[in-house]
Structure formats: C-alpha cells, structure tokens
C-alpha cells in the first residue's frame, strides 16, 4: 500500500500584522490637518532601570528603517555592551499617504523645476521640509521627551536618500534639534544642488555637532548596472563635506565611502557602523 500522506497541521487564522516586542505607536496631529503615526522601540531593560535616561535616535522612512535599526540595536548592541542602549523613534508616512507621497513632500526643501524629468515625479508634491521640520520640533520631539526618559542633549538623526536630504536641511537651518546627524547617501542633487547652495547662510550650531556622511562606492557615474546613471554622489558628498568643514561651523564631519555598496544596499552597513561609532557600548566588545 502507498504510504499515507503526512498530516497537514492546522493553523490559526493569519493575523493582519506582525507585532514587534517592546514597541509602541503614538499618533501625533499636525495643526495643518495631517496625522502621523510615531513608532517607539524601547530598550529591553527600560522598565528595570527607572532612573536611567537614554539617548534617542530618530529615523526617517520608518517602514524600512525602524525594524532594521531595532534589529541592529538588539543584536549588534548586545544589551549595551557593543552599542549603548537607546530609544528608537521611527518616522513613518502621514496617515492616508503612500511612502512616496509623504517623503517626497516632507523631506524636500523646495518645489523644483522637474529637470531632469526622470529624477522627479509628476504625481507628488515637493517642498514641505520646513513645515515637517517645525512639526518635529514643536510636536514630536517634545512629546517623546515628555513621555519617555530621554536625554534630550543626546538626540541623533538618521536618514537615507531623501531622508538624509531632509537631515542636511535641518542641519543647515535648525542644527540644534539634534546633536548628531547620520546622513546616508543624501540626495544633494535635488533642485540643482539647492542644499549645497544654502550653506553660505547656514545657521551655526550652539554646541559642537557631529555629522557622519556616507555613500556607497557604486554611487558614481561609471559603466555597469550598479553604478549611478546620472548623479555622481561620491563627488557631491565630498564637496558638501568640504563646505561643512569650513572654519567656524562648529561641526565634526566624517565622510566615508562604503566599498561594494550601491544606493539601495548601503544603508544597513552605514547605520551599523555609525551606531558603533556615535553610541559605543560599555564594552568589552563581543563579536558573538
């Protein structure tokens, strides 16, 4: 007789989402009539140390970056041994908008002439960075500081691409919102290089501020599928670094090229290296 078919286990009905432990969702209203979810991931030992205050890391494009950075903190960090424990705050899109719609508006400093056309979209709005910066400064950051045991003097920003363009804009216009800026492959080409052109009128931070700027080794113009086809972001990042390093800017700037990575693959390596640098743990370091 043929062997009986193995029994198939019955599963409970699938749930519509996966919950991440030690995370919370806040909902913050923008007076302009917009509502944003704000995601918070607390360190595993947060409840056991009621007197301790923690540095805070804010990440843009949270649909992608929030679970990634949370995993880096929890695995690489080794409960504070390799990376200091920190509160992670994710900035997802506005409710009711796609990620593309929300980030194109909120992370860009101007409404550009759509040239070259293939670098811009006709179905989105641009130029809302000043409003979104003020929304963070007036609504989000004070709420997080009031609700959680944060060290407001140790606030770090991390963004990639348009998210890093927004970080560069905040650094230029209101730098004291954060003490450290992790800028991964910032879209400095946007609107014919508007951000670099704004540096002559940049606001000087009141306190020394760190800037970690990184790009992938493939983010330059050369033949091959992984190279850029229109923007030499290696050159743009180097030129921008020179602007930031001018005397009197009160900035400590590092510009790192991550070999073997392109615009889509570089961020996980950037954020891991940056966290080990700006939030070193109590040590000794363990590689597992």
């Amino acid at each position: 007789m043929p062997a009986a078919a193995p029994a198939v286990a019955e599963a409970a009905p699938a749930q519509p989402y996966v919950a991440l432990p030690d995370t919370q969702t806040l909902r913050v209203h923008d007076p302009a009539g917009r509502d944003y979810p704000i995601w918070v991931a607390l360190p595993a030992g947060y409840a056991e140390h009621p007197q301790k205050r923690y540095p805070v890391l804010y990440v843009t494009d949270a649909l992608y970056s929030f679970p990634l950075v949370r995993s880096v903190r929890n695995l690489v960090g080794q409960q504070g041994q390799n990376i200091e424990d920190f509160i992670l705050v994710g900035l997802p899109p506005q409710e009711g908008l796609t990620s593309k719609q929300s980030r194109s508006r909120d992370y860009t400093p101007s409404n550009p002439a759509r040239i070259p056309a293939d670098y811009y979209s006709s179905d989105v709005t641009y130029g809302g960075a000043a409003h979104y910066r003020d929304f963070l400064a007036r609504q989000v950051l004070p709420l997080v500081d009031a609700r959680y045991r944060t060290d407001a003097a140790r606030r770090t920003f991390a963004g990639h691409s348009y998210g890093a363009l927004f970080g560069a804009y905040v650094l230029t216009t209101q730098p004291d919102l954060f003490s450290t800026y992790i800028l991964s492959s910032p879209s400095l080409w946007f609107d014919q290089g508007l951000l670099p052109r704004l540096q002559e009128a940049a606001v000087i931070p009141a306190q020394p501020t760190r800037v970690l700027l990184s790009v992938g080794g493939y983010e330059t113009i050369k033949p091959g599928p992984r190279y850029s086809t229109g923007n030499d972001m290696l050159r743009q990042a180097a030129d921008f670094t020179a602007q930031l390093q001018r005397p009197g800017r009160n900035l400590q700037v590092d510009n790192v090229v991550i070999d073997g990575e392109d615009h889509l693959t570089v961020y996980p390596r950037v954020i891991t290296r940056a966290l080990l640098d700006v939030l070193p743990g109590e040590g000794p370091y363990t590689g597992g």
Side-chain angles (χ1 to χ4, degrees):
M1 294 179 60
V8 178
E10 293 187 6
Q15 298 299 311
Y17 57 86
V18 175
L20 298 175
D22 299 313
T23 60
Q24 302 174 8
T25 298
L26 309 176
R27 188 169 185 262
V28 184
H29 181 70
D30 180 344
R34 308 166 186 170
D35 292 297
Y36 289 85
I38 303 296
W39 298 342
V40 180
L42 298 173
Y46 183 84
E48 285 73 47
H49 301 282
Q51 304 305 316
K52 184 174 181 179
R53 292 194 167 273
Y54 294 84
V56 189
L57 172 65
Y58 287 80
V59 295
T60 59
D61 291 307
L63 295 177
Y64 166 64
S65 63
F66 183 80
L68 170 67
V69 177
R70 174 184 171 275
S71 295
V72 170
R73 182 195 67 185
N74 292 354
L75 177 62
V76 182
Q78 293 293 298
Q79 297 183 329
Q81 186 167 347
N82 295 341
I83 298 172
E84 182 180 358
D85 276 339
F86 60 87
I87 297 171
L88 173 63
V89 179
L91 304 173
Q94 176 192 332
E95 291 180 0
L97 296 186
T98 66
S99 178
K100 177 182 177 181
Q101 291 169 330
S102 189
R103 73 193 300 269
S104 295
R105 181 196 64 201
D106 292 342
Y107 297 167
T108 59
S110 60
N111 183 19
R114 312 296 169 95
I115 300 172
D118 57 344
Y119 275 85
Y120 302 95
S121 299
S122 60
D123 59 345
V124 299
T125 299
Y126 295 101
H131 180 88
Y132 189 65
R133 175 204 60 202
D134 293 344
F135 166 68
L136 294 181
R138 296 169 184 171
Q139 270 82 42
V140 177
L141 273 60
L143 174 64
V144 171
D145 287 343
R147 191 179 184 99
Y148 304 100
R149 298 194 310 275
T150 66
D151 181 350
R154 302 180 65 205
R155 214 184 265 145
T156 297
F157 172 97
H160 175 73
S161 195
Y162 270 6
L165 174 70
F166 174 71
Y169 176 75
V170 176
L171 175 66
T172 301
T173 60
Q174 201 168 342
D176 291 320
L177 283 184
F178 302 93
S179 60
T180 302
Y181 291 79
I182 301 169
L183 307 179
S184 172
S185 302
S187 300
L188 299 170
W189 52 264
F190 183 84
D191 198 0
Q192 303 179 59
L194 174 64
L195 241 298
R197 288 187 279 115
L198 292 178
Q199 295 313 299
E200 289 296 333
V203 177
I204 305 301
Q207 301 295 328
T209 300
R210 285 202 68 184
V211 181
L212 287 83
L213 200 158
S214 297
V215 290
Y218 283 108
E219 294 189 82
T220 188
I221 302 172
K222 289 183 179 180
R226 295 191 70 183
Y227 285 102
S228 173
T229 58
N231 282 305
D232 190 344
M233 296 182 74
L234 266 71
R235 179 186 57 78
Q236 293 165 1
D239 291 346
F240 190 60
T241 298
Q243 288 184 296
L244 297 179
Q245 289 177 328
R246 288 200 309 262
R249 293 295 296 271
N250 213 17
L251 301 175
Q252 177 188 340
V253 186
D254 298 295
N255 178 24
V256 178
V257 176
I258 310 294
D259 290 334
E261 305 297 346
D262 57 42
H263 194 70
L264 299 180
T265 66
V266 71
Y267 186 70
R269 287 184 64 186
V270 168
I271 196 64
T272 302
R273 292 173 59 146
L275 291 178
L276 288 167
D277 185 352
V278 303
L279 292 171
E282 60 190 15
Y285 184 88
T286 174

